[in-house]
Amino acid sequence: MIEVPLGITIREVVEGIGGGIKNGRQFKAAQFGGPSGGCIPARLADTPIDYDALAATGAMMGSGGLVVLDDRDCMVDIARFFLRFTQAESCGKCTFCRIGTKRMLEILDRLCEGKGRPRDLEELETLADYVSRASLCGLGQTAPNPVLTTLRYFRHEYEAHLHERRCPSGKCTALIQYRVTDNCIGCTLCAQACPVGAIAFRPYEKHEIDAQLCTKCDMCRQACQDDAIVAEPRPSGSGTS
Ligand code: SF4
Ligand code: SF4
Ligand code: SF4
């Protein structure tokens, strides 16, 4: 854990102290304040880290935690990840926190699986508003923050999941397939990394992925040093499982 002084900007932490984004990826957002915090987009990276400035973005200081996200992170999936935590932590005393967060989580699950319904985004916003205003304690009042901030700054990603059944970041496994591109130099690293044997060893040849065996664990894409494996939207009509 690294302690930073109040007033330092997000960019100074990410690029200066943190040394930038790993593997040359693109800085996409910073998630602040633990599970009840919010996501601040890279374009607001000059925001100073203090209580008021973070609150103005819709995030909060919270536990002081900072998670840096890159272009491979799906913001719908990130919202789901944090809401799942707070939903599980709800003590159940009040209805909006207990049931409202559950309904919100169901919507996020649907979106990530490419099974969104036409009014899901409106419903998500309405539920988030009810939960934050009608919950008795801080947990429920802040639980919708990850959803609200990602809807505010990354609504286009929600819309892609809903209307196109597409995950723009190539993260939501139900909506993607893995493919080896012509950049492949046949180094075999992906075949070594694949835990289910979905890639046959073919030294110095272009490798291939067996879609029937692939569990979409992403290990091959992370192992490939030539950016020769892509996670791309599944062709329409190929199902969402
Ligand atoms: S808002 Fe607080 S008191 Fe109400 S159910 Fe959630 S955790 Fe319990
Ligand atoms: S790791 Fe990348 S370059 Fe190496 S064989 Fe696999 S796809 Fe090709
Ligand atoms: S995504 Fe995982 S299971 Fe699929 S080919 Fe790559 S390493 Fe194997």
Side-chain angles (χ1 to χ4, degrees):
M1 188 174 72
I2 300 172
E3 291 183 16
V4 297
L6 281 180
I8 190 171
T9 67
I10 298 170
R11 189 184 307 284
E12 286 170 323
V13 173
V14 174
E15 295 177 2
I17 296 173
I21 307 296
K22 218 173 143 189
N23 299 329
R25 305 302 316 179
Q26 197 182 338
F27 176 35
K28 183 172 186 178
Q31 201 277 349
F32 260 97
S36 296
C39 293
I40 302 172
R43 69 173 187 274
L44 298 182
D46 293 316
T47 302
I49 300 174
D50 65 43
Y51 291 90
D52 293 339
L54 290 183
T57 67
M60 61 188 224
M61 190 70 84
S63 61
L66 164 61
V67 179
V68 178
L69 306 169
D70 69 29
D71 56 312
R72 287 188 178 180
D73 288 305
C74 166
M75 303 312 287
V76 183
D77 182 57
I78 288 289
R80 178 170 69 153
F81 176 83
F82 287 112
L83 187 66
R84 187 179 285 143
F85 177 85
T86 43
Q87 208 285 317
E89 290 294 303
S90 170
C91 78
K93 185 175 176 184
C94 37
T95 310
F96 285 96
C97 176
R98 183 181 72 246
I99 301 175
T101 54
K102 189 144 185 57
R103 294 290 94 87
M104 290 175 70
L105 194 52
E106 287 168 0
I107 293 174
L108 294 175
D109 281 338
R110 279 205 296 275
L111 291 170
C112 289
E113 290 164 10
K115 297 174 181 169
R117 299 173 188 164
R119 291 194 47 75
D120 270 353
L121 300 194
E122 289 80 2
E123 201 166 317
L124 203 49
E125 284 171 320
T126 303
L127 283 166
D129 181 48
Y130 288 163
V131 171
S132 54
R133 285 195 296 124
S135 291
L136 285 177
C137 84
L139 186 139
Q141 288 159 7
T142 57
N145 280 348
V147 175
L148 287 171
T149 50
T150 48
L151 270 169
R152 177 170 168 186
Y153 297 118
F154 299 95
R155 194 180 184 91
H156 56 285
E157 293 200 18
Y158 281 86
E159 287 174 346
H161 284 72
L162 176 61
H163 301 304
E164 302 167 38
R165 313 291 185 208
R166 183 174 67 86
C167 176
S169 310
K171 187 82 173 185
C172 293
T173 55
L175 305 180
I176 59 171
Q177 64 184 11
Y178 284 80
R179 182 173 64 84
V180 179
T181 72
D182 290 342
N183 286 348
C184 177
I185 58 169
C187 71
T188 78
L189 282 177
C190 57
Q192 295 175 53
C194 180
V196 295
I199 308 177
F201 281 82
R202 292 166 61 182
Y204 308 114
E205 291 180 34
K206 181 179 172 183
H207 282 45
E208 283 178 10
I209 293 172
D210 184 335
Q212 299 301 317
L213 294 177
C214 176
T215 58
K216 301 173 186 172
C217 70
D218 204 47
M219 306 255 309
C220 56
R221 189 164 67 140
Q222 292 174 34
C224 181
Q225 296 179 3
D226 292 274
D227 245 351
I229 296 182
V230 292
E232 57 189 11
R234 290 167 66 97
S236 57
S238 62
T240 55
S241 61

